[in-house]
């Protein structure tokens, strides 16, 4: 469990995207996403789709992995689609009692769903090809200039790192408490499901206590190792832009421009 | 120069944990702190490092008062502290990051970080575990990593709070020799331990009893004269042997040496 | 010491980080009760963090925690809802600014509970409305669906807040009061 | 009861922590477990307690295969007491009292019985009554350790597993605990599995010793045989001898003769060395 969280959605392949600097990825994705928010015409949708498909192929990640990412929001997608189909006024092509399906509705439904799917696929590219801590590192570096304006970027980044690092610890802590109880003859996992839900409640308060205790020790640990306010730390793991980062950056900008022009041109 | 000047401390009002404690540890000394469970050793260590502040009196390091928040960073840079429970000390997700974290904080340049990382990790023999999660190591391995993370920072003082309690005898010996080496290079070593043989090889011993400093001096003198059981301590093996020989040879920390000497006299 | 609001020392950094982790970890758990809505015990945690550590910790922990769960589970961040979580956390934290309210020392008066409940409920509704507005504006989601979603989510969140969050803060304060009383008696 | 492991293997992700371990643990003995850091000692005792759900191998108690769930995972074995290597892994309640009361409450004792039992156990492990209302994490390292041990002793288990229980205890408490355990084990004919790095304690208190190295069980010996006759094996595995035995070796080397001793316990060796000494100086 600990490892799954630390790895996040990360999926190891030797693709181009895995080698990219996290900063390039973050900025590019933001650009592409913004340009997608303006999608309007059929051609622009087509271009966007081709771009996303291209990215998926290049990532070398099997398609079912992306499918898995879409699963949790399948319900929203269906709902959005049906909603548009049913409630958009226009040319009725099929009806049953008060329900009317219209051409415009189908059109709208497909469009909205399509856009969300594209956005999600893009977003999962970032998490599938970058480990959460690398992502945090990239973000810290991107925001580094703000540090000069007295924005506590380092501390903010430490916050995120602690958060990522502690999600598994907390889940482990729950495991630990269960294990400690098991070691003294109380096995929660042996209970039936309905009883188990209630059995979790008494664990919550001890959990809260130990976590607050953990926080105290962690504060000591960070202070004791002279973190201070994090300003001016050196950085052992360095990020370096490579050729490929510039190339990808260039392509992204061209893409965005193309989409923009398509939209402006109304094609 | 680390000074306790009439220090009082409590966690809860009315239940004092440290009472009127005064002593000075000079640069380059090697000091063992001993005492019963709950007598306040870890609390003293936290006071030394400025993690806790005295309720009365002053703790100063090179004339910097720990209660001045602005200077606390300097104290943390100069005083390294290996926690009693290594799990409380871990901040990051890999053994490597754990060692590097402190080095980045004290602004060690990149190339130098690599050197120190290698040195520290090799010293505790954890080369094979650089990418492991600290929380998923065995009990003794955790202690080794905790030690490496502090040793790499090369502070002027290192406080080891029972940092070797779960090491095998060989590991204990290794850490002992790391300590000796650092001490030889001029580092001040403060070692909190329940292992009496280790106490014997320190230069000075601070005995804490119910929050008060009960004895401050040479360990050999201490074990020769004190009734150790009053302080929940036992005699080191060397001293037990010494008593068996009815004190016929001078007491030394190295008991094998003592036996040989005895043998040659007879 | 207690009432400092914007100072970012190690303690606040760690508290926010760990609260975010806790929020994120419990974010994995949820009992679905309607379209894209579930009974999330995480809301109770926001209430606890807010009350114990104030609006800044509540806001930041809610935001980071939400973004992280989104990133770790589906890879897609729903920014509107993340900001919503943040707002809820901030509202839960208003009570922290009251003089004489200090659950860490066991000090909670009954009028505090009233205020806490009001801020909490107002906060939950306001932040959901915010998320709703955000989604319509930036994601182009249909608004009627969101009306259902918002009302369901408000109700479920308020339920969790009232049933779990408030009692947890009270329980925590009570326990701390006990501990400090004992030390005075001895 | 007899506990039997057959070809037990445990993997943690990519690391093999136990390799084909087979052993039989008889009732009524004090068995120590030694080995270097990371040798697999904790893993081994966790398997015995059933704390590691997925293991590869066969585990029987009194010839009966240990119950597994539908997925083939091991279940915790309730009547084995287990003290974790880090007391922090074990303590979870909000007060010391609740911590001590947890196991007996599970076993269905009344609150009076529990209160009485707690009253009895506190002095035995050297805990003052004042700490009962404190939260376990407010205790010092050594007190946490005592609490962890006491809360398991409350179960009065047939087999008691202690993973480095003396780490962090002050010397007098350490000896007191070891004596308490020895008395309990002998008088009530209980079994103790004692993981330790303190060779002196191992030599002093155990009947048998199991030696681990890099996940392998290297042998299961009578204590005296191991320390007095298998010194090479221990040296090869990088483990040291108890100090009294080292003393014996030094004296053997100095005198150039083999010395017979009754056991590897300090008293017996000191007696022997003293008598050699005495005859020499007379
Ligand atoms: N966070 C805390 N809150 C309240 N009391 C505490 C806290 N930490 C320690 N104490 C108490 O302070 C006293 C001294 O504790 P300390 O940890 O300094 O002892 P120690 O000498 O290190 O003992 P050990 O050898 O067992 O580690 C103990 O009575 C302990 O219960
Ligand atoms: N949860 C875990 N995940 C991955 N590897 C682990 C885990 N626990 C232990 N290991 C590894 O398994 C090996 C055996 O560990 P174990 O804890 O059994 O050692 P040990 O003999 O108890 O050592 P020690 O004396 O240091 O406590 C070690 O190499 C350790 O790094
Ligand atoms: Mg201590
Ligand atoms: Mg172990």
């Amino acid at each position: 469990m600990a490892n799954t969280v630390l790895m996040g959605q990360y999926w190891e392949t030797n693709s181009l995207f895995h080698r990219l600097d996290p900063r390039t990825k973050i900025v590019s994705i933001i650009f592409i996403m913004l340009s997608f928010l303006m999608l309007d015409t059929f051609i622009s949708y087509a271009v966007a789709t081709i771009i996303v498909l291209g990215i998926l192929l290049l990532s070398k990640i099997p398609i079912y992995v992306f499918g898995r990412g879409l699963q949790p929001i399948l319900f929203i997608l269906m709902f959005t689609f049906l909603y548009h189909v049913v409630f958009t006024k226009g040319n009725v092509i099929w009806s049953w009692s008060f329900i009317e399906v219209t051409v415009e509705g189908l059109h709208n439904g497909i469009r909205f769903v399509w856009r969300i799917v594209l956005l999600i696929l893009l977003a999962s590219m970032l998490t599938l090809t970058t480990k959460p801590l690398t992502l945090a590192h990239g973000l810290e570096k991107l925001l580094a200039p703000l540090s000069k304006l007295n924005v506590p970027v380092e501390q903010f980044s430490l916050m995120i790192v602690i958060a990522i690092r502690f999600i598994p610890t907390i889940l482990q802590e729950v495991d630990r408490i269960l294990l400690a109880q098991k070691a003294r003859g109380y096995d929660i996992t042996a209970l039936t499901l309905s009883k188990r839900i209630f059995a979790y409640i008494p664990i919550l308060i001890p959990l809260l206590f130990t976590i607050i205790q953990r926080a105290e020790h962690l504060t000591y640990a960070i202070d004791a190792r002279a973190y201070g306010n994090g300003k001016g730390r050196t950085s052992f793991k360095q990020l370096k832009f490579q050729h490929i980062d510039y190339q990808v950056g260039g392509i992204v900008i061209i893409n965005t421009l193309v989409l923009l022009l398509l939209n402006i041109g109304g094609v | 120069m680390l000074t306790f000047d009439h220090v009082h401390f409590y966690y809860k009002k009315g239940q004092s944990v440290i009472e009127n404690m005064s002593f000075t540890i000079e640069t380059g000394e090697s000091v063992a702190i001993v005492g019963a469970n709950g007598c306040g050793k870890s609390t003293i260590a936290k006071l030394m490092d400025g993690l806790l502040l005295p309720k009365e009196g002053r703790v100063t390091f090179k004339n910097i008062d720990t209660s001045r928040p602005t200077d606390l960073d300097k104290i943390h840079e100069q005083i390294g502290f290996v926690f009693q429970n290594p799990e409380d000390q871990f901040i990051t997700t890999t053994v490597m990051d754990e060692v590097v974290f402190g080095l980045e904080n004290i602004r060690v340049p990149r190339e130098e970080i690599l050197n120190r990382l290698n040195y520290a990790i090799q010293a505790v023999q954890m080369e094979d575990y650089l990418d492991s999660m600290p929380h998923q190591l065995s009990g003794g391995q955790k202690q080794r990593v905790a030690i490496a993370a502090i040793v790499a920072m090369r502070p002027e003082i290192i406080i080891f709070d029972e940092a070797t309690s779960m090491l095998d005898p060989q590991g204990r010996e290794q850490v002992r020799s790391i300590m000796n080496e650092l001490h030889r290079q001029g580092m001040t070593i403060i070692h909190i331990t329940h292992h009496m043989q280790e106490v014997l090889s320190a230069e000075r011993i601070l005995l804490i009893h119910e929050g008060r400093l009960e004895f401050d001096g040479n360990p050999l003198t201490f074990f020769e004269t004190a009734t150790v059981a009053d302080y929940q301590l036992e005699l080191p093996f060397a001293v037990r042997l010494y008593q068996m020989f009815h004190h016929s040879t001078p007491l030394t920390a190295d008991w094998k040496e003592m036996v040989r000497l005895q043998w040659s006299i007879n | 010491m207690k009432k400092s609001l914007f100072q970012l020392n190690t303690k606040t950094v760690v508290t926010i980080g760990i609260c975010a982790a806790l929020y994120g970890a419990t974010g994995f758990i949820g009992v679905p009760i309607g379209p894209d809505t579930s009974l999330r015990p995480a809301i109770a945690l926001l209430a606890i963090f807010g009350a114990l550590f104030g609006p800044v910790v509540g806001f930041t922990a809610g935001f980071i925690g939400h973004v992280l769960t989104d990133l770790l589970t589906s890879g897609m961040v729903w920014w509107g809802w993340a900001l919503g979580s943040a707002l809820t956390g901030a509202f839960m934290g208003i009570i922290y600014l009251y003089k004489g309210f200090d659950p860490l020392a066991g000090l909670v008066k009954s009028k505090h509970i009233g205020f806490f409940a009001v801020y909490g409920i107002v906060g939950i509704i306001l932040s959901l409305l915010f998320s709703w507005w955000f989604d319509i504006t930036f994601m182009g989601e249909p608004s009627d669906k969101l009306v259902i979603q918002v009302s369901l989510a408000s109700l479920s969140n308020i339920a969790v807040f009232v049933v779990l969050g408030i009692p947890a803060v009270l329980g925590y304060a009570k326990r701390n009061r006990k501990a400090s009383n004992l030390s005075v008696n001895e | 009861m007899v506990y039997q492991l057959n070809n037990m293997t445990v993997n943690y992700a990519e690391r093999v922590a136990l390799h084909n371990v087979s052993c039989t643990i008889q009732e009524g003995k004090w068995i120590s477990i030694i080995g270097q850091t990371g040798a697999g000692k904790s893993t081994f005792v966790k398997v015995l307690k059933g704390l590691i759900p997925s293991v590869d191998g066969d585990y029987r108690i009194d010839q009966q295969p240990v119950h597994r769930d539908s997925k083939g995972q091991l279940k915790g074995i309730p009547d084995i007491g287990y003290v974790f290597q880090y007391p922090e892994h074990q303590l979870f309640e909000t007060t010391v009292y609740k911590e001590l009361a947890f196991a007996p409450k599970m076993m269905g004792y009344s609150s009076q019985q529990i209160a009485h039992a707690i009253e009895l156990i506190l002095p035995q492990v050297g805990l003052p009554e004042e700490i009962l209302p404190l939260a376990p994490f407010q205790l010092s390292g050594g007190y946490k350790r005592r609490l962890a041990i006491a809360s398991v002793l409350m179960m009065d288990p047939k087999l008691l597993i202690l993973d480095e229980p003396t780490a962090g205890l002050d010397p007098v408490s350490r000896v007191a605990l070891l004596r308490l355990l020895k008395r309990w084990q002998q008088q009530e004919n209980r079994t103790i599995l004692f993981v330790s790095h303190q060779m002196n304690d191992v030599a002093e208190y155990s009947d048998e010793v199991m030696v681990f190295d890099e996940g392998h069980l290297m042998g299961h010996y009578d204590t005296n045989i191991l320390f007095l006759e298998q010194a090479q094996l221990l040296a090869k595995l990088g483990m040291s001898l108890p100090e009294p035995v080292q003393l014996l070796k030094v004296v053997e080397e100095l005198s150039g003769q083999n010395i017979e001793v009754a056991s590897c316990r300090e008293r017996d060796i000191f007696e022997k060395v003293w008598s050699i000494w005495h005859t020499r100086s007379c």
Side-chain angles (χ1 to χ4, degrees):
Chain A
M1 187 67 218
N3 293 329
T4 42
V5 174
L6 279 183
M7 295 306 258
Q9 300 281 101
Y10 188 73
W11 190 276
E12 180 82 60
T13 65
N14 61 344
S15 83
L16 153 78
F17 297 121
H18 290 78
R19 273 175 287 137
L20 275 185
D21 189 298
R23 291 169 293 179
T24 316
K25 283 191 265 194
I26 295 172
V27 175
S28 305
I29 295 258
I30 292 177
F31 260 83
I32 302 183
M33 281 194 163
L34 283 177
S35 66
F36 278 18
L37 282 179
M38 304 177 299
L39 289 185
D40 201 18
T41 61
F42 177 74
I43 299 227
S44 63
Y45 265 96
V47 173
T49 308
I50 290 169
I51 294 174
V52 171
L53 279 182
I55 292 178
L56 294 199
L57 281 180
L58 277 176
S59 75
K60 298 188 185 168
I61 295 170
I63 291 297
Y64 73 88
V65 178
F66 291 100
R68 235 175 26 192
L70 285 174
Q71 235 167 27
I73 54 145
L74 222 52
F75 193 84
I76 310 182
L77 290 180
M78 257 163 54
F79 196 93
T80 310
F81 179 71
L82 286 179
Y83 175 87
H84 282 286
V85 168
V86 175
F87 289 107
T88 316
K89 299 273 170 281
N91 286 329
V92 180
I93 48 171
W94 186 81
S95 72
W96 180 76
S97 90
F98 67 93
I99 297 175
E100 293 177 338
V101 175
T102 62
V103 181
E104 286 81 359
L106 272 176
H107 185 238
N108 268 352
I110 292 174
R111 225 175 50 178
F112 278 119
V113 168
W114 201 233
R115 179 153 89 190
I116 298 177
V117 169
L118 289 182
L119 284 175
I120 288 173
L121 288 177
L122 259 183
S124 37
M125 275 315 294
L126 195 60
T127 42
L128 282 169
T129 62
T130 330
K131 294 179 195 158
L133 286 170
T134 320
L135 210 55
H137 190 45
L139 202 62
E140 180 186 0
K141 287 278 128 82
L142 273 177
L143 298 178
L146 290 180
S147 179
K148 296 214 173 60
L149 301 173
N150 265 334
V151 179
V153 176
E154 297 86 358
Q155 285 173 314
F156 188 68
S157 141
L158 182 65
M159 236 180 252
I160 296 178
V161 171
I162 290 175
I164 294 176
R165 134 98 159 75
F166 260 83
I167 291 180
T169 312
I170 286 164
L171 297 174
Q172 264 172 10
E173 193 73 22
V174 176
D175 275 353
R176 181 189 74 75
I177 293 176
L178 294 180
L179 199 67
Q181 297 188 337
K182 190 164 147 186
R184 267 181 274 162
Y186 180 56
D187 195 348
I188 220 176
T189 48
L191 299 174
T192 58
L193 189 70
S194 59
K195 278 191 187 150
R196 209 189 306 168
I197 289 174
F198 288 102
Y200 272 110
I201 294 173
I203 295 177
L204 262 176
I205 293 284
L207 180 68
L208 208 63
F209 263 83
T210 42
I211 295 289
I212 288 176
Q213 170 65 9
R214 277 278 155 104
E216 188 178 322
H217 284 303
L218 191 66
T219 311
Y220 284 153
I222 292 171
D223 275 342
R225 278 198 267 164
Y227 181 80
N229 60 8
K231 288 232 179 310
R233 300 176 77 223
T234 48
S235 158
F236 180 60
K237 278 191 198 139
Q238 279 187 328
L239 294 177
K240 241 201 204 118
F241 285 123
Q242 287 157 353
H243 279 308
I244 194 154
D245 288 296
Y246 296 113
Q247 286 160 3
V248 168
I251 293 173
V252 166
I253 290 172
I254 293 171
N255 268 324
T256 317
L257 285 178
V258 168
L259 275 177
L260 248 181
L261 288 178
L262 282 176
N263 266 330
I264 292 169
V267 189
Chain B
M1 264 265 299
L2 184 68
T3 307
F4 269 48
D5 181 14
H6 298 285
V7 172
H8 287 263
F9 183 83
Y10 53 80
Y11 290 96
K12 273 194 203 121
K13 241 193 163 86
Q15 301 177 337
S16 86
V17 174
I18 302 297
E19 281 173 40
N20 197 20
M21 189 170 289
S22 300
F23 59 83
T24 298
I25 294 174
E26 299 293 342
T27 309
E29 274 192 295
S30 115
V31 181
I33 301 185
V34 295
N37 288 138
C39 72
K41 301 179 296 298
S42 301
T43 307
I44 293 175
K46 287 182 191 140
L47 285 163
M48 285 176 169
D49 200 14
L51 296 177
L52 296 175
L53 299 178
K55 304 287 178 186
E56 275 173 54
R58 289 170 1 122
V59 176
T60 51
F61 170 67
K62 289 187 176 163
N63 295 325
I64 309 174
D65 198 318
T66 54
S67 62
R68 280 219 309 271
T70 41
D71 295 332
L72 218 47
D73 272 355
K74 270 185 223 131
I75 293 185
H76 293 319
E77 279 178 32
Q78 300 303 332
I79 303 184
F81 181 10
V82 186
F83 289 15
Q84 181 162 7
N85 182 348
E87 294 185 340
D88 289 341
Q89 195 184 310
F90 296 146
I91 297 164
T92 61
T93 50
T94 65
V95 169
M96 175 160 83
D97 287 349
E98 199 52 42
V99 178
V100 168
F101 180 82
L103 297 175
E104 289 180 334
N105 290 343
I106 56 171
R107 294 150 208 220
V108 177
R110 256 190 103 235
E111 314 74 55
E112 175 66 11
I113 289 184
L114 194 60
N115 290 337
R116 293 207 197 173
L117 172 69
N118 286 338
Y119 166 78
I121 284 293
Q122 270 162 23
V124 297
Q125 300 196 325
M126 289 293 291
E127 302 96 317
D128 296 344
Y129 293 85
L130 274 178
D131 293 324
S132 302
M133 284 176 69
H135 282 276
Q136 295 190 343
L137 297 171
S138 84
Q141 289 166 342
K142 284 178 188 161
Q143 287 196 323
R144 287 167 188 255
V145 173
I147 292 171
I150 304 303
V151 165
M153 289 175 75
R154 300 204 188 139
E156 290 184 21
I157 299 182
I158 299 190
I159 307 166
F160 294 88
D161 190 356
E162 300 187 32
T164 55
S165 63
M166 287 184 195
L167 294 186
D168 51 65
Q170 215 185 22
R172 210 175 260 276
E173 207 40 58
Q174 277 163 10
V175 174
R176 180 82 247 152
S177 71
I178 298 172
M179 284 184 191
N180 287 342
E181 173 61 21
L182 296 173
H183 181 229
R184 210 181 45 75
Q185 293 169 7
M187 195 181 287
T188 311
I189 305 285
I190 298 174
H191 192 183
I192 300 174
T193 177
H194 291 302
H195 206 258
M196 294 301 122
Q197 195 63 37
E198 285 177 348
V199 176
L200 213 50
S201 46
E203 290 167 354
R204 176 178 167 194
I205 169 175
L206 296 179
L207 169 68
I208 314 297
H209 183 59
E210 291 176 354
R212 278 185 302 271
L213 180 60
E214 198 77 22
F215 179 90
D216 175 357
N218 181 284
L220 293 176
T221 339
F222 171 72
F223 285 116
E224 272 189 285
T225 54
T227 330
V228 288
D230 290 354
Y231 309 110
Q232 299 279 104
L233 303 179
E234 67 183 348
L235 293 173
F237 186 74
V239 181
R240 298 206 289 274
L241 203 57
Y242 172 69
Q243 290 187 342
M244 187 189 84
F245 291 138
H246 294 295
H247 307 214
S248 46
T249 32
L251 176 60
T252 51
D254 183 354
W255 59 263
K256 287 186 185 166
E257 193 54 44
M258 222 165 66
V259 174
R260 297 210 169 86
L261 197 66
Q262 274 281 356
W263 193 267
S264 64
I265 296 171
N266 269 346
Chain C
M1 184 68 197
K2 185 202 159 202
K3 299 297 179 188
S4 69
L5 201 51
F6 284 100
Q7 195 189 29
L8 209 50
N9 52 26
T10 309
K11 186 145 188 116
T12 12
V13 169
V14 169
T15 310
I16 293 175
I18 289 187
C19 291
L22 205 52
Y23 187 65
T26 36
F28 281 98
I29 318 163
V31 188
I33 53 163
D36 193 34
T37 330
S38 51
L39 212 53
R40 290 181 314 139
I43 287 290
L45 285 173
L46 277 186
I48 297 170
F49 306 147
L52 294 186
F53 307 111
V56 174
V57 173
F59 184 90
T60 329
F63 184 73
I64 297 181
H66 196 120
V67 171
L68 279 181
T69 357
D70 276 0
L71 277 177
L72 294 177
T73 47
S74 71
M76 173 74 188
V77 181
W78 299 88
W79 296 102
W81 295 88
L83 280 170
S85 283
L87 275 180
T88 312
F91 268 92
M92 301 281 185
I94 295 180
I95 189 70
Y96 170 87
L97 305 175
Y98 274 71
K99 269 210 196 77
F101 176 83
D102 191 355
L104 289 172
L107 298 174
V108 178
K109 297 200 184 76
S110 47
K111 73 165 188 210
H112 292 140
I113 304 170
F115 283 123
F116 185 38
V118 172
Y119 290 130
I121 292 172
V122 170
I124 288 173
I125 295 174
L126 276 185
S127 41
L128 283 164
L129 284 175
F130 170 82
S131 308
W132 178 35
W133 167 81
F134 191 95
D135 268 15
I136 296 173
T137 318
F138 294 96
M139 300 296 294
E141 282 217 39
S143 58
D144 280 24
K145 172 206 148 191
L146 283 161
V147 169
I148 307 174
Q149 207 176 325
V150 164
S151 357
L152 267 178
S154 300
L155 286 179
S156 74
N157 283 353
I158 290 173
V160 172
F161 170 63
V162 172
V163 175
L164 269 180
I166 299 182
V169 171
L170 283 178
Y172 190 85
K174 208 163 133 197
R175 223 209 77 80
N176 280 327
R177 185 165 62 229
K178 246 194 227 155
S180 43
N181 273 353
L182 273 167
S183 71
V184 173
N185 292 344
E186 275 160 17
Chain D
M1 288 210 196
V2 183
Y3 301 82
Q4 232 177 334
L5 291 187
N6 249 320
N7 288 328
M8 192 54 86
T9 297
V10 174
N11 296 297
Y12 290 118
E14 72 281 18
R15 223 175 277 285
V16 186
L18 273 192
H19 256 296
N20 269 336
V21 169
S22 303
C23 67
T24 307
I25 289 159
Q26 302 283 355
E27 197 168 37
K29 294 248 161 63
W30 178 307
I31 303 170
S32 293
I33 295 167
I34 63 173
Q36 287 190 303
T37 289
K41 306 179 293 298
S42 300
T43 309
F44 170 71
V45 287
K46 275 187 193 150
V47 170
L48 279 176
K49 170 71 192 171
L51 293 182
I52 299 180
S54 45
V55 295
D56 193 1
D58 182 47
Y59 182 9
R60 284 160 197 270
I61 299 178
D62 284 342
Q63 308 296 334
Q64 294 298 313
V66 168
H67 177 71
R68 298 188 185 222
D69 69 7
S70 48
K71 287 186 217 125
Q73 309 230 307
L74 273 187
K75 288 279 168 197
I77 296 155
D79 40 356
I80 298 180
Y82 189 97
V83 178
F84 286 76
Q85 185 164 10
Y86 284 100
E88 285 83 354
H89 289 188
Q90 182 170 349
L91 306 173
F92 58 87
E93 278 289 7
T94 47
T95 68
V96 172
Y97 190 91
K98 283 193 197 163
E99 191 70 53
L100 288 168
F102 185 85
K105 217 154 91 189
M106 284 301 124
M107 297 158 88
Y109 287 97
S110 74
S111 38
Q112 281 108 325
Q113 284 171 314
I114 295 175
H116 184 64
I118 289 180
E119 222 168 88
L120 288 182
I121 198 88
L122 286 180
Q124 297 204 15
V125 294
L127 283 175
E129 268 185 36
E130 296 91 81
I131 64 160
L132 284 176
L134 295 184
F137 62 73
Q138 291 179 322
L139 304 178
S140 80
Y143 276 18
K144 276 184 207 152
R145 174 71 72 188
R146 297 179 197 192
L147 173 59
I149 295 170
S151 63
V152 172
L153 285 177
M154 294 293 283
M155 295 167 64
D156 197 23
K158 288 269 179 300
L159 170 65
L160 176 58
I161 296 172
L162 301 133
D163 198 347
E164 292 189 44
T166 59
L169 288 183
D170 61 51
V172 169
S173 318
R174 192 188 88 241
V175 174
L177 172 74
L178 290 169
R179 289 195 179 144
L180 167 74
L181 291 173
K182 188 76 200 172
R183 226 177 19 247
W184 176 78
Q185 178 253 324
Q186 285 179 331
Q187 283 172 3
E188 322 245 328
N189 197 32
R190 300 299 159 87
T191 315
I192 284 185
L193 281 186
F194 175 75
V195 180
S196 180
H197 287 305
Q198 307 296 326
M199 294 302 156
N200 291 12
D201 294 343
V202 171
E204 202 67 29
Y205 294 94
S206 44
D207 302 311
E208 294 170 8
V209 184
M210 297 171 89
V211 186
F212 279 83
D213 187 54
E214 299 190 348
H216 296 273
L217 174 59
M218 304 302 285
H220 185 157
Y221 299 91
D222 175 87
T223 310
N224 291 324
I225 293 180
L226 176 70
F227 288 126
L228 297 174
E229 294 168 22
Q230 294 286 338
Q232 288 101 326
L233 172 79
L234 291 177
K236 202 183 85 203
L237 301 179
M239 275 178 268
S240 63
L241 290 168
E243 277 160 333
V245 179
Q246 288 182 37
L247 169 68
L248 193 67
K249 300 272 164 200
V250 173
V251 176
E252 277 185 347
E253 176 203 317
L254 287 172
S255 64
Q257 62 181 33
N258 249 346
I259 303 172
E260 286 289 323
V261 286
S263 79
C264 57
R265 301 175 60 185
E266 178 169 309
R267 237 191 45 210
D268 290 332
I269 292 180
F270 267 25
E271 227 162 62
K272 191 78 192 183
V273 170
W274 172 243
S275 74
I276 293 175
W277 207 259
H278 208 62
T279 39
R280 226 177 96 84
S281 50
C282 288

